[in-house]
Amino acid sequence: MTDELARRIAALMPRARADLAELVAIPSVADPRQYPPEKCRQAAEWVAAAFADAGLRDVHLEETPDGSHAVVGHRPPPPGAPTVLLYAHYDVQPPLDDTAWTSPPFELTERAGRWYGRGAADCKGNIVMHLTALRALGDELPVGLKLVVEGSEEQGTGGLEAYVPPHAGELHADALLICDTGNAAIGLPTATTSLRGVTTVVVTVSALAGDMHSGMFGGPAPDALAALIRVLDSLRDPDGGTRIEGLDNDGTWSGVGYDEQQFRADAGVLDGVRLTGSGTVADRLWARPAVTVLGIDCPPVVGSAAAVPATARARISLRVPPGTDARAAQAALTAHLEAAAPWGVHIAVTPESVGSPFRAATGGPAYAALDKAVQEVYGRPLSFLGQGGSIPLCTVFATTFPAAEIILMGVEEPRCLIHAPNESVDPGEIEHMAHVEALFLRHYADSRRP
């Protein structure tokens, strides 16, 4: 039966590629300042039609409190069978610098056996994985299904997080497949059991009423950009590790580690450049806070004037590990920034999103069924890893459905370069993880039978 399922999935891979090409071609960036909102609507309607065609019922769009649209649907369980919720998101990160892409970001392009395009892995590849698994099972689906495909995950505006609690009855399931992560490496089946939370703020430094001629006023006139640089530098130790007053930066990771040389290769660290911080790579990635300056508003080099900048601002991300309250972390970051302002410059910190960290419980029948499925497909047991990224929705699901098992899995692996130029996916991971998902649904149904 497994061999027959594998053959069905292999035969579906041309359709999977065609589906992914159509989805990647839709620039569904959920930020109206960058892309037309109708593109997200187009992607949502594509997803709804595809899952309806794959056998789900009443698949439709629901507007969430942030204005984005989630795709929801269901399929009733056979008598006595459990229900599984399938999650992914159709919105994508902006392509950033188009010139850094080897091929157009919104055109699925094959090179050296990988499929390139924005969202090819994160998270449209996971949507295609779901569709391929469901098509392979067809009418043999052994469980009930709930579907929710999010439309603003990358923006962190919390639309689906706010939508879930008042719609708990419609979304309730025994196990949740949160498919927005992936394997530790190609061929190494992995469930993510730990996620960092995240908070973002914008810090604005003001020093002068307006930009002033650097020849006439430079020296005693305080430079807002220089002040901002000092503020940002205060967030790190001399070795580059994050150091924010009030936050523990000495946590350790007790699970499977992350080889330093492998990390350097995965992250594309240049020769001679040292990693920042101390402790193991896993400690720094999964057990400690990590600050990143996401962007700075200041005069660009080309077109800059001989003037002392009056204002400058930066957007800052702070990832926080399980055990740290994300709102408390945001408050600590804000207080640290305000205290670090030099020369009496004015500083304003504007909070943006807050997402809580997550840790999964792995001892239930869903994890046992997943382990059995990955051993049949990959020939090795399931591995457990942490992840430095954030999926705040997981905490909302855990709070709303405390008895449900939550599994984070998917087609993303380090070579995918999610959020970066030249994002890609290995089609073999789509094929194998679709096979894993289909087998999981069978094994999980068997495990819940009296």
Side-chain angles (χ1 to χ4, degrees), residues 17 60 340 353 364 401 417:
R17 190 191 190 287
H60 63 283
S353 59
F401 309 122
L417 298 180

Side-chain angles (χ1 to χ4, degrees), residues 20 117-126 411-412 416 418 423-425:
L20 191 57
R118 176 56 91 218
D122 182 23
C123 184
K124 293 175 177 179
N126 287 309
V411 303
E412 302 162 26
C416 291
I418 65 172
E423 177 181 351
S424 68
V425 69

Side-chain angles (χ1 to χ4, degrees), residues 194-199 235-237 239-253 276-293 316-326 328-330 332-333 336 355 357 359 387-390:
S194 172
L195 293 169
R196 290 190 294 195
V198 65
T199 179
L235 296 169
R236 293 183 178 273
D237 282 336
D239 65 6
T242 297
R243 182 64 63 181
I244 295 171
E245 188 68 28
L247 290 185
D248 177 18
N249 192 44
D250 300 314
T252 58
W253 175 255
T276 51
S278 60
T280 69
V281 170
D283 292 340
R284 286 172 270 178
L285 270 180
W286 305 325
R288 298 178 183 177
V291 69
T292 303
V293 179
I316 301 168
S317 165
L318 177 64
R319 303 280 179 169
V320 295
T324 299
D325 180 86
Q330 185 183 74
L333 174 61
H336 181 108
R359 181 176 285 122
Q387 189 175 108
S390 304

Side-chain angles (χ1 to χ4, degrees), residues 204-208 222-224 227 230-231 338-348:
T204 303
V205 172
S206 302
L208 303 168
D223 177 333
R230 287 204 172 189
V231 169
E338 291 171 344
W343 319 319
V345 298
H346 297 180
I347 190 164

